[in-house]
């Protein structure tokens, strides 16, 4: 009979080994799922994890990797701060949409003015849009003790409706002959977010993501606020004695994660997506939750986790076109990864012991 | 606003149908939370129930088998949650989110090739002459058996939780798992049972969406119903009968906004379709603050994992 025994201290080995083991287990379980779907599991796993990096079109796909990893990392770093403090913002998808709408609206309002200040102001508007959308659950939580999980999630649905309104109504391209969707930012240089170095996929969002990873790392390791965030999550009572105000942390963590999600949306809509359209958001706000956990809620870990998750997106698309794998399969695959991660995580804090039946 | 085009009798009758999925999911989640477990995967379990129920119903041609399949699908998914949180002591919030993300993906995968098919019809219960009574007949005696079944489930849960020894044990586990453990109850096994019940109810609710409410298969068909069910548990302050009230209230809002859309109301469609979510937030605020503090009624051990460290 197996029994769990609590470790006196979390195992450092398993802290780093869990993501690796979880990915390996997901490959096995995913392989079984692909086999059930009638595909050759080895071929699919190779297409997802190997071909985008070293295959025939790797020169193009490696760039795409950064395009997809950028927003995931930006959002996940913000979310991880809250998750560490026990504040669950799961409405990043809504904040992402609102940031994109706010930022795009600013840019479109001054169309076709050419001024180098336009894009920075749009970035501020994107930050603000995400921040204000995250402030709703934050203020409701601090003022009325409302559950932030449910409120932030409900606001995703509201944001999606507003996005539909924006693309069919108030942000619609007046020269678009009635089709939904805004003007394309690629034909409006002052407000666009182009590739900075051709062929690398690096745009301002990717640069910001790297900067945010470093900033968050410094915050958590060297700054009092970072200590307070960690303390509030691990020992809420001790945090209260230490003088940490829970309400301040809620407002801060929700605000930062909202602003980062918002700016990620702005970079996406002005760059890779190109325009506000009904479905420009592809669920990065939700996938970022997996990224945050896969990266062990650690900024540097999230950097790698974001790249890995971007790889599954691109590999999934490759498998869809080359092998006819349904695109939903990759979503299930990503969900599976989170399951295995949470399951293997038990090894960090517990030891497995073989105990005799009936023995106490 | 023009209410003239909306027939109040039809409105009440259809809100009873609209309330079934969230009522079932919410009453299941209520039992889970009463046992001290917070399963945020209701949305994932519902959509798994929706697709499993749909597939079984289409393959067998029997709605009854479909509902059984839906309940089974939800329960199987919840078993993953139970294994992770009860035996591997994983964080309940994170695992619940994983359940939803995984359920949405897997359901879309399983639903390939089932788009655009009509499921077998679940007919109304034959009440004979009762159904011909004006007004009351339309409201009370024109529904399929799931509408009555869902109310019966609420009644049964109320009875078990407040009037039986089983209910007392479930509540003890949810209020203080250490005390329950000291009394010799198997905390994790009791919670496992409650989680499976919650999963089955969510699956049943999901199956009702794909088999009766819509009725066809579309990716992401539950559209947040699972999250609204979670909100209803808070709204009900963990009391079974209030789940009934909450579900009818939300069913009413959903039906009313759909009717207003159809009646060509002057309010833009977008405002109407976001209204159920906004009302949910409003209700959460009202219930969580002031004198009606629902939080005070929450099970004391809600969301905490239990590990018997001898």
């Amino acid at each position: 009979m197996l029994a769990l025994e609590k470790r006196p201290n979390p195992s450092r080995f398993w802290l780093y080994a869990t993501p690796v083991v979880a990915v390996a287990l997901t490959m096995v379980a995913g392989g079984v799922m692909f086999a059930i779907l009638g595909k050759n599991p080895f071929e699919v796993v190779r297409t997802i994890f190997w071909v985008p990096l070293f295959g025939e079109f790797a020169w193009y796909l490696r760039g795409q990797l950064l395009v997809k990893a950028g927003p995931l990392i930006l959002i996940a770093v913000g979310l991880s701060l809250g998750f560490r403090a026990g504040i669950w913002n799961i409405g990043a998808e809504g904040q992402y949409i609102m940031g994109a709408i706010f930022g795009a609206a600013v840019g479109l309002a001054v169309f076709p003015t050419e001024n180098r200040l336009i894009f920075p102001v749009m970035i501020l508007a994107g930050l603000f849009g995400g921040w204000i959308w995250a402030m709703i659950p934050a203020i409701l939580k601090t003022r009325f003790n409302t559950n932030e999980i449910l409120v932030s999630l409900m606001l995703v649905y509201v944001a999606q409706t507003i996005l539909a309104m924006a693309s069919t109504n108030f942000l619609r391209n007046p020269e678009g002959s009635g089709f939904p969707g805004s003007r394309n930012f690629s034909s409006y240089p002052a407000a666009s977010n182009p590739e900075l170095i051709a062929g690398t996929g690096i745009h301002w969002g990717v640069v910001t993501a790297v900067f945010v990873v470093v900033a968050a790392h410094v915050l958590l390791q060297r700054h009092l606020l970072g200590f307070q965030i960690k303390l509030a999550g691990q020992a809420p009572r001790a945090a209260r004695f230490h003088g940490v105000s829970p309400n301040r942390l809620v407002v801060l963590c929700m605000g930062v994660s909202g602003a980062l999600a918002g700016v990620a949306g702005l970079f996406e809509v002005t760059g890779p997506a190109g325009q506000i359209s009904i479905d420009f958001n592809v669920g990065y706000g939700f996938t970022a939750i997996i990224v945050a956990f896969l990266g062990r809620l650690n900024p540097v870990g999230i950097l790698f986790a974001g790249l890995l998750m971007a790889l599954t997106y691109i590999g999934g698309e490759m498998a869809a076109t080359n092998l006819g794998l349904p695109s939903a399969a990759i979503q299930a695959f990503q969900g599976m990864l989170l399951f295995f991660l949470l399951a293997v995580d038990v090894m960090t804090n517990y030891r497995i012991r073989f105990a005799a039946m009936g023995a106490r | 606003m023009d209410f003239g085009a909306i027939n109040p009798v039809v409105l009440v009758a259809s809100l009873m149908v609209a309330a079934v999925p969230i009522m079932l999911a919410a009453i299941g989640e209520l039992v889970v939370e009463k046992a001290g477990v917070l399963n945020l995967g209701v949305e994932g379990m519902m959509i798994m129930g929706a697709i499993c129920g749909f597939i079984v119903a289409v393959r067998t041609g029997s709605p009854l088998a479909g509902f059984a399949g839906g309940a089974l699908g939800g329960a199987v998914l919840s078993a993953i949650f139970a294994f992770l949180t009860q035996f591997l002591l994983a964080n309940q919030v994170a695992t619940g989110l994983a359940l939803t993300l995984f359920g949405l993906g897997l359901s879309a995968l399983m639903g390939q090739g089932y788009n655009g098919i009509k499921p077998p019809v679940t007919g109304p219960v034959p009440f004979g002459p009762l159904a011909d009574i004006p007004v009351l007949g339309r409201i009370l005696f024109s529904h399929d058996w799931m509408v009555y079944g869902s109310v019966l489930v609420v009644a049964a849960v109320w009875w078990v939780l407040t009037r039986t020894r089983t209910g007392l044990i479930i509540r003890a586990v949810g209020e203080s798992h250490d005390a329950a453990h000291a009394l010799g109850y198997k905390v994790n096994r009791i919670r496992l049972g409650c989680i499976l019940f919650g999963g089955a109810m969510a699956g049943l609710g999901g199956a009702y969406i794909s088999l009766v409410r819509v009725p066809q298969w579309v990716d992401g068909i539950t559209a947040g119903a699972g999250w609204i069910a979670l909100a209803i548990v808070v709204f009900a302050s963990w009391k079974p009968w209030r789940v009934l009230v909450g579900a009818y209230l939300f069913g009413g809002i959903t039906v009313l906004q759909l009717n207003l859309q159809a009646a060509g109301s002057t309010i833009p469609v977008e405002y109407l379709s976001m209204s159920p979510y906004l009302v949910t937030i409003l209700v959460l605020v009202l219930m969580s603050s002031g004198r009606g503090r629902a939080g005070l009624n929450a099970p004391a051990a809600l969301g905490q994992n239990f590990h018997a460290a001898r």
Side-chain angles (χ1 to χ4, degrees), chain B residues 163-210:
Chain B
R163 294 286 182 274
T164 66
R165 190 175 176 78
T166 316
L168 193 61
I169 296 170
I170 291 176
R171 286 187 287 144
V173 166
E175 293 297 336
S176 167
H177 46 217
D178 290 322
H181 176 69
L183 286 170
Y185 296 119
K186 305 278 186 205
V187 173
N188 290 340
R189 278 185 218 170
I190 292 161
R191 286 185 171 168
L192 170 72
C194 291
I195 292 170
L196 290 178
F197 174 76
M201 285 303 114
L204 206 56
Y208 192 79
I209 297 182
S210 65

Coordinates of all heavy atoms in Angstrom, one line a residue, chain B residues 163-210:
Chain B
R163 N -31.5 16.1 6.8 CA -32.3 15.1 7.6 C -31.7 13.8 7.8 O -32.4 12.9 8.4 CB -33.7 15.0 6.9 CG -34.6 16.2 6.9 CD -35.2 16.5 8.2 NE -36.0 17.7 8.2 CZ -35.6 18.9 8.3 NH1 -34.3 19.2 8.4 NH2 -36.4 20.0 8.2
T164 N -30.6 13.5 7.3 CA -30.0 12.1 7.4 C -28.6 12.2 8.0 O -28.0 13.2 8.0 CB -29.9 11.4 6.0 OG1 -28.9 12.1 5.3 CG2 -31.2 11.4 5.3
R165 N -28.2 11.0 8.5 CA -26.9 10.8 9.1 C -25.8 11.1 8.0 O -24.8 11.7 8.3 CB -26.8 9.4 9.6 CG -25.6 9.2 10.4 CD -25.6 7.8 11.1 NE -24.3 7.7 11.8 CZ -24.1 8.2 13.0 NH1 -25.0 8.9 13.6 NH2 -22.9 8.1 13.5
T166 N -26.1 10.6 6.8 CA -25.1 10.8 5.7 C -24.8 12.3 5.5 O -23.7 12.7 5.4 CB -25.7 10.2 4.4 OG1 -26.3 8.9 4.7 CG2 -24.6 10.1 3.3
G167 N -25.9 13.1 5.5 CA -25.8 14.5 5.3 C -25.0 15.1 6.4 O -24.1 16.0 6.2
L168 N -25.2 14.6 7.7 CA -24.5 15.1 8.8 C -23.0 14.9 8.7 O -22.1 15.7 8.9 CB -25.0 14.5 10.1 CG -24.6 15.1 11.4 CD1 -25.1 16.6 11.5 CD2 -25.1 14.3 12.6
I169 N -22.7 13.6 8.2 CA -21.2 13.3 8.0 C -20.6 14.2 6.9 O -19.5 14.7 7.1 CB -21.1 11.8 7.6 CG1 -21.6 10.9 8.8 CG2 -19.7 11.4 7.3 CD1 -21.8 9.5 8.4
I170 N -21.3 14.4 5.8 CA -20.8 15.2 4.7 C -20.5 16.6 5.2 O -19.5 17.2 5.0 CB -21.8 15.3 3.5 CG1 -21.9 13.9 2.9 CG2 -21.4 16.4 2.6 CD1 -22.9 13.9 1.8
R171 N -21.5 17.1 6.0 CA -21.3 18.5 6.5 C -20.1 18.6 7.5 O -19.4 19.5 7.5 CB -22.6 19.0 7.2 CG -23.6 19.4 6.1 CD -24.8 20.0 6.7 NE -25.6 19.1 7.5 CZ -26.3 19.3 8.6 NH1 -26.2 20.6 9.1 NH2 -27.0 18.4 9.2
A172 N -20.0 17.5 8.3 CA -18.9 17.5 9.3 C -17.6 17.5 8.6 O -16.6 18.2 9.0 CB -19.0 16.2 10.2
V173 N -17.5 16.7 7.5 CA -16.2 16.7 6.8 C -15.9 18.1 6.2 O -14.8 18.5 6.1 CB -16.3 15.6 5.6 CG1 -15.2 15.8 4.6 CG2 -16.3 14.2 6.2
G174 N -16.9 18.8 5.8 CA -16.7 20.1 5.2 C -16.4 21.2 6.2 O -15.8 22.1 5.9
E175 N -17.0 21.0 7.4 CA -16.7 22.1 8.4 C -15.4 21.9 9.1 O -14.7 22.8 9.3 CB -17.9 22.0 9.4 CG -19.2 22.4 8.9 CD -19.3 23.9 8.4 OE1 -18.5 24.7 8.8 OE2 -20.2 24.2 7.6
S176 N -15.0 20.6 9.4 CA -13.8 20.4 10.1 C -13.3 19.0 9.8 O -13.7 18.0 10.4 CB -13.9 20.6 11.6 OG -12.8 20.1 12.2
H177 N -12.4 18.9 8.8 CA -12.0 17.5 8.4 C -11.2 16.8 9.5 O -11.2 15.6 9.6 CB -11.3 17.5 7.0 CG -10.2 18.6 6.9 ND1 -10.0 19.2 5.7 CD2 -9.3 19.1 7.7 CE1 -9.0 20.1 5.8 NE2 -8.6 20.0 7.0
D178 N -10.5 17.6 10.3 CA -9.7 17.0 11.4 C -10.6 16.3 12.4 O -10.4 15.2 12.8 CB -8.8 18.1 12.0 CG -7.7 18.5 11.1 OD1 -7.2 17.7 10.4 OD2 -7.4 19.7 11.1
A179 N -11.7 17.1 12.8 CA -12.7 16.5 13.7 C -13.3 15.2 13.1 O -13.5 14.2 13.8 CB -13.7 17.5 14.1
A180 N -13.7 15.3 11.9 CA -14.4 14.2 11.2 C -13.4 13.0 11.2 O -13.8 11.9 11.4 CB -14.8 14.6 9.8
H181 N -12.2 13.3 10.9 CA -11.2 12.2 10.9 C -11.0 11.6 12.3 O -10.9 10.4 12.4 CB -9.8 12.8 10.4 CG -8.7 11.8 10.4 ND1 -8.6 10.8 9.5 CD2 -7.6 11.7 11.2 CE1 -7.5 10.1 9.8 NE2 -6.9 10.6 10.7
A182 N -11.0 12.5 13.3 CA -10.8 12.0 14.6 C -12.0 11.1 15.0 O -11.8 10.1 15.8 CB -10.7 13.1 15.6
L183 N -13.2 11.3 14.5 CA -14.3 10.5 14.8 C -14.3 9.2 14.0 O -15.2 8.4 14.2 CB -15.6 11.3 14.4 CG -16.0 12.4 15.4 CD1 -17.1 13.2 14.9 CD2 -16.3 11.8 16.8
G184 N -13.3 9.1 13.1 CA -13.2 7.8 12.4 C -13.8 7.8 11.0 O -13.9 6.7 10.4
Y185 N -14.2 9.0 10.5 CA -14.7 9.0 9.1 C -13.6 9.1 8.1 O -12.6 9.7 8.4 CB -15.7 10.2 9.0 CG -16.9 10.0 9.8 CD1 -17.2 11.0 10.8 CD2 -17.7 8.9 9.7 CE1 -18.3 10.8 11.6 CE2 -18.9 8.8 10.5 CZ -19.1 9.8 11.5 OH -20.2 9.6 12.2
K186 N -13.8 8.4 7.0 CA -12.8 8.5 6.0 C -13.0 9.7 5.1 O -13.7 9.7 4.2 CB -12.9 7.2 5.1 CG -12.8 5.9 5.8 CD -11.4 5.5 6.1 CE -11.3 4.2 6.7 NZ -10.1 4.0 7.5
V187 N -12.3 10.8 5.5 CA -12.5 12.1 4.9 C -12.4 12.0 3.4 O -13.2 12.5 2.7 CB -11.5 13.1 5.5 CG1 -11.6 14.5 4.8 CG2 -11.8 13.3 7.0
N188 N -11.2 11.5 2.9 CA -11.0 11.5 1.5 C -12.0 10.7 0.7 O -12.4 11.1 -0.4 CB -9.6 11.0 1.2 CG -8.5 12.0 1.7 OD1 -8.9 13.2 1.9 ND2 -7.3 11.6 1.9
R189 N -12.4 9.6 1.3 CA -13.4 8.7 0.5 C -14.8 9.4 0.5 O -15.4 9.4 -0.5 CB -13.6 7.4 1.2 CG -12.5 6.4 0.8 CD -12.7 5.1 1.4 NE -11.4 4.5 1.8 CZ -11.3 3.4 2.5 NH1 -12.3 2.8 3.0 NH2 -10.1 3.0 2.8
I190 N -15.1 10.1 1.6 CA -16.4 10.8 1.6 C -16.4 11.9 0.5 O -17.3 12.1 -0.2 CB -16.7 11.3 3.0 CG1 -17.0 10.1 3.9 CG2 -17.9 12.3 2.9 CD1 -16.9 10.5 5.4
R191 N -15.3 12.6 0.5 CA -15.1 13.7 -0.4 C -15.1 13.2 -1.9 O -15.7 13.8 -2.8 CB -13.8 14.5 -0.2 CG -14.0 15.4 1.1 CD -12.8 16.2 1.3 NE -13.1 17.2 2.3 CZ -12.2 17.9 2.9 NH1 -10.9 17.8 2.6 NH2 -12.6 18.8 3.9
L192 N -14.5 12.0 -2.1 CA -14.5 11.4 -3.4 C -15.9 11.2 -3.9 O -16.3 11.5 -5.0 CB -13.7 10.1 -3.3 CG -13.8 9.2 -4.6 CD1 -13.0 9.8 -5.7 CD2 -13.3 7.8 -4.3
G193 N -16.7 10.6 -3.0 CA -18.1 10.3 -3.3 C -18.8 11.6 -3.7 O -19.6 11.6 -4.7
C194 N -18.6 12.7 -2.9 CA -19.3 13.9 -3.2 C -18.9 14.5 -4.5 O -19.7 15.0 -5.3 CB -19.1 14.9 -2.1 SG -19.9 14.4 -0.6
I195 N -17.5 14.4 -4.8 CA -17.0 15.0 -6.1 C -17.6 14.2 -7.3 O -18.0 14.8 -8.3 CB -15.5 14.9 -6.1 CG1 -14.9 15.8 -5.1 CG2 -14.9 15.2 -7.5 CD1 -13.4 15.6 -4.8
L196 N -17.7 12.9 -7.2 CA -18.3 12.1 -8.3 C -19.8 12.5 -8.5 O -20.2 12.6 -9.6 CB -18.2 10.6 -8.0 CG -16.8 10.1 -8.0 CD1 -16.8 8.6 -7.7 CD2 -16.2 10.3 -9.4
F197 N -20.5 12.7 -7.4 CA -21.9 13.1 -7.5 C -22.0 14.5 -8.2 O -22.8 14.7 -9.1 CB -22.6 13.2 -6.1 CG -23.9 13.8 -6.1 CD1 -25.0 13.0 -6.5 CD2 -24.2 15.1 -5.7 CE1 -26.3 13.5 -6.6 CE2 -25.5 15.6 -5.7 CZ -26.5 14.8 -6.2
G198 N -21.1 15.4 -7.8 CA -21.1 16.7 -8.4 C -20.8 16.6 -9.9 O -21.4 17.3 -10.7
G199 N -19.8 15.8 -10.2 CA -19.5 15.6 -11.6 C -20.7 15.0 -12.4 O -21.0 15.5 -13.5
A200 N -21.4 14.0 -11.8 CA -22.5 13.4 -12.5 C -23.6 14.5 -12.8 O -24.2 14.5 -13.8 CB -23.0 12.2 -11.7
M201 N -23.9 15.3 -11.8 CA -24.9 16.3 -11.9 C -24.5 17.3 -12.9 O -25.4 17.7 -13.8 CB -25.2 17.0 -10.5 CG -25.9 16.1 -9.5 SD -27.5 15.6 -10.2 CE -27.2 13.8 -10.3
A202 N -23.3 17.8 -12.9 CA -22.8 18.7 -13.9 C -22.9 18.1 -15.3 O -23.4 18.8 -16.3 CB -21.4 19.2 -13.6
G203 N -22.6 16.8 -15.4 CA -22.6 16.2 -16.7 C -24.1 16.1 -17.2 O -24.4 16.3 -18.4
L204 N -25.0 15.8 -16.3 CA -26.4 15.7 -16.6 C -26.9 17.0 -17.1 O -27.6 17.1 -18.1 CB -27.2 15.3 -15.3 CG -28.5 14.5 -15.5 CD1 -28.3 13.3 -16.3 CD2 -29.0 14.2 -14.1
G205 N -26.5 18.1 -16.4 CA -26.9 19.4 -16.8 C -26.4 19.8 -18.2 O -27.1 20.3 -19.0
G206 N -25.1 19.4 -18.4 CA -24.5 19.6 -19.8 C -25.3 18.9 -20.8 O -25.5 19.4 -21.9
A207 N -25.6 17.6 -20.5 CA -26.3 16.8 -21.5 C -27.7 17.4 -21.8 O -28.2 17.4 -23.0 CB -26.5 15.4 -21.0
Y208 N -28.3 18.1 -20.8 CA -29.6 18.7 -21.1 C -29.4 19.9 -22.1 O -30.3 20.1 -22.9 CB -30.2 19.2 -19.8 CG -31.6 19.7 -19.9 CD1 -32.6 18.7 -19.9 CD2 -32.0 21.0 -20.0 CE1 -33.9 19.1 -20.0 CE2 -33.3 21.4 -20.1 CZ -34.3 20.4 -20.1 OH -35.6 20.8 -20.3
I209 N -28.3 20.6 -22.0 CA -28.0 21.7 -22.9 C -28.0 21.2 -24.4 O -28.6 21.7 -25.3 CB -26.7 22.4 -22.6 CG1 -26.9 23.1 -21.2 CG2 -26.4 23.5 -23.6 CD1 -25.6 23.9 -20.8
S210 N -27.2 20.1 -24.6 CA -27.0 19.6 -26.0 C -28.1 18.8 -26.5 O -28.3 18.7 -27.7 CB -25.7 18.9 -26.1 OG -25.7 17.7 -25.3

